[in-house]
Structures are given as structure tokens and as C-alpha cells.
Amino acid sequence: MIQKIFSYLIPIKILKKKSSRSKVIEVTWANGELVLDSENTNYSYGSLQRILRYGLRTIGYKNILEMDHILLLGVAGGSVIKTLADEIEYKGKITGVEIDSDIIQIANQYFNLDQIKQLEIIIDDAFEFVLKTKEQYNLIIIDVFEDIKMPNFLFEKFFSERVCSLLKNRGFILFNTMILDEAHNVRNRKYISEINPKLFTSKMLPRIEDHNELIIIEKVA
């Protein structure tokens, strides 16, 4: 495809539209791959896929292959789902929760998300879903953004305790956060400090992108 070839020289935008939740959603050929962006940041593929792949590698591909059920809060284009299914060859169930139905339509059309057989997409608010679900999960990936903003509820103690309660024994949380100023650093340190050390281990990974910081929580008891 000529667009793919030329994208190594200059990004080529092939879709720009407003969605029900985002001001602008763009699909672009960049460096030979399709990426999904919001107005100010990468939503799927590109740098975001590298960040979440780094987190999954830290948890361990071997650990992931033994899991039964993975929950993803915030799907967007589904790059982390592609990493799980195509690169790690994970065969268990994946439940993806996404509030923006327009993004899922784009993900299906441009990134073939609907061809991943073990994936169930639920259109819902992440907060509401976490309160309602009766399931337990081996891995919960939190990747919830509105452009460059993260909803405050993600960092509230009530929500983090509820998410932690959904983990199976030896289960993991992989939380992708955005750091734009010192207040965000303080926020992340406070979040970590509120995790119960008797039941969970928690750590922040060294950053591989300037503005993204991954937090990993593991249930140990």
C-alpha cells in the first residue's frame, strides 16, 4: 500500500472524526503502521503499544499464558489486546470495557478488533462496570483516558480497593498513568501508598516514555 510506504517519510492521516466522548479521533499511517490518536495523545498502537507491552513483559509472558481471564478497562483501538492475542498468543478470555462506542467501530473497521474470537467488548463506564461485575480476573489492565486527562475516580481509594478485590490469587493490575506535572507525581505516590502491603505488592516501573508511568500491583495473599 502506497500510504504505508510514504508514512515512513511523513504521517498520513486517513480518518478524522468526532466521537461521542472525544473531541477528535484520528487514524494515521505512521512509520508503516496504523495508529489511533486523540487530539493531543496516542490512544492505541504507536508509543502506547510499546508502553503496555513493556508492562506485560514485566509481569511475564509465561505468567500471562497461564491466566484464564483478563479485564481491560479502556479499549480504544485495542493495541494491548493485539499484543495479548497476536504476540503473546494468549488463549484465555479477554473482557474489554469501553465507554465510547464510536471508538469500537473504528477499532473494528481499521484494526480488525472484532476478529479476535476470545474478546468480549462491553460498552460501559469503567467505574460502573467495576462496581457491577461478579467476575474475578487474573490480570486487570487500566488504560482509561479522555485525551490527556485521567478521570479522578481512578485514583480514589474506594475504586482502587474495589479493583483489587476483583483479582484472583497471584493476580496483577497493570495501570497506565499520565504524568504531566509534579501534582501527578504526588498523586501516583499517594495511590501506591494506599495499597494494602499485607495483601499486595506494588511498584512503579522506570519510564520508557516521558509522560507515561506504569504501576504494577500483584495480589500475594
Side-chain angles (χ1 to χ4, degrees):
M1 183 187 290
I2 194 145
Q3 289 175 317
K4 181 176 181 178
I5 295 167
F6 275 112
S7 75
Y8 287 99
L9 303 173
I10 185 171
I12 299 172
K13 195 178 298 176
I14 61 172
L15 176 74
K16 181 176 181 178
K17 68 173 288 187
K18 291 185 177 181
S19 78
S20 58
R21 301 289 302 189
S22 303
K23 289 180 183 176
V24 178
I25 295 294
E26 299 175 346
V27 178
T28 304
W29 279 105
N31 295 314
E33 64 176 351
L34 279 178
V35 299
L36 178 68
D37 296 322
S38 67
E39 187 173 18
N40 296 298
T41 193
N42 176 233
Y43 259 11
S44 284
Y45 305 91
S47 62
L48 182 69
Q49 189 168 23
R50 289 193 295 275
I51 292 162
L52 290 174
R53 185 188 286 120
Y54 166 52
L56 294 173
R57 195 178 295 123
T58 302
I59 290 168
Y61 287 3
K62 187 178 176 199
N63 285 334
I64 291 168
L65 286 170
E66 294 173 354
M67 294 177 177
D68 300 316
H69 198 173
I70 293 174
L71 172 65
L72 172 60
L73 301 176
V75 175
S79 56
V80 70
I81 296 169
K82 287 294 189 96
T83 300
L84 287 166
D86 296 346
E87 296 177 32
I88 302 176
E89 298 184 349
Y90 173 72
K91 303 300 184 188
K93 183 176 180 181
I94 304 170
T95 298
V97 178
E98 172 59 57
I99 198 169
D100 191 340
S101 58
D102 293 329
I103 280 189
I104 296 301
Q105 289 179 346
I106 292 169
N108 290 340
Q109 181 178 351
Y110 290 92
F111 302 100
N112 301 317
L113 204 61
D114 51 357
Q115 293 181 17
I116 297 175
K117 292 182 171 56
Q118 74 258 44
L119 173 63
E120 178 189 18
I121 295 290
I122 297 172
I123 304 298
D124 201 355
D125 178 89
F127 184 83
E128 297 290 333
F129 178 85
V130 163
L131 292 186
K132 291 182 292 193
T133 184
K134 302 289 195 295
E135 298 276 343
Q136 286 203 305
Y137 307 90
N138 304 98
L139 171 61
I140 299 173
I141 302 168
I142 305 174
D143 191 36
V144 178
F145 293 90
E146 294 173 358
D147 195 27
I148 59 173
K149 294 181 180 177
M150 300 190 71
N152 290 331
F153 73 80
L154 295 171
F155 299 93
E156 291 171 0
K157 190 175 181 182
F158 170 80
F159 183 77
S160 67
E161 287 180 347
R162 176 62 184 161
V163 172
C164 285
S165 76
L166 301 179
L167 284 181
K168 295 182 179 181
N169 196 34
R170 309 302 302 186
F172 291 87
I173 293 168
L174 176 59
F175 187 9
N176 182 26
T177 71
M178 187 166 282
I179 305 286
L180 298 177
D181 55 35
E182 180 56 28
H184 291 159
N185 281 317
V186 172
R187 175 203 66 194
N188 277 20
R189 288 195 293 269
K190 180 175 182 289
Y191 178 87
I192 285 273
S193 73
E194 291 177 343
I195 302 297
N196 186 341
K198 294 179 181 177
L199 301 176
F200 304 94
T201 62
S202 54
K203 62 182 176 182
M204 291 179 277
L205 300 187
R207 294 182 204 172
I208 60 168
E209 300 283 341
D210 287 344
H211 298 301
N212 288 83
E213 185 167 67
L214 292 175
I215 296 172
I216 292 183
I217 299 167
E218 181 181 2
K219 185 174 183 179
V220 294

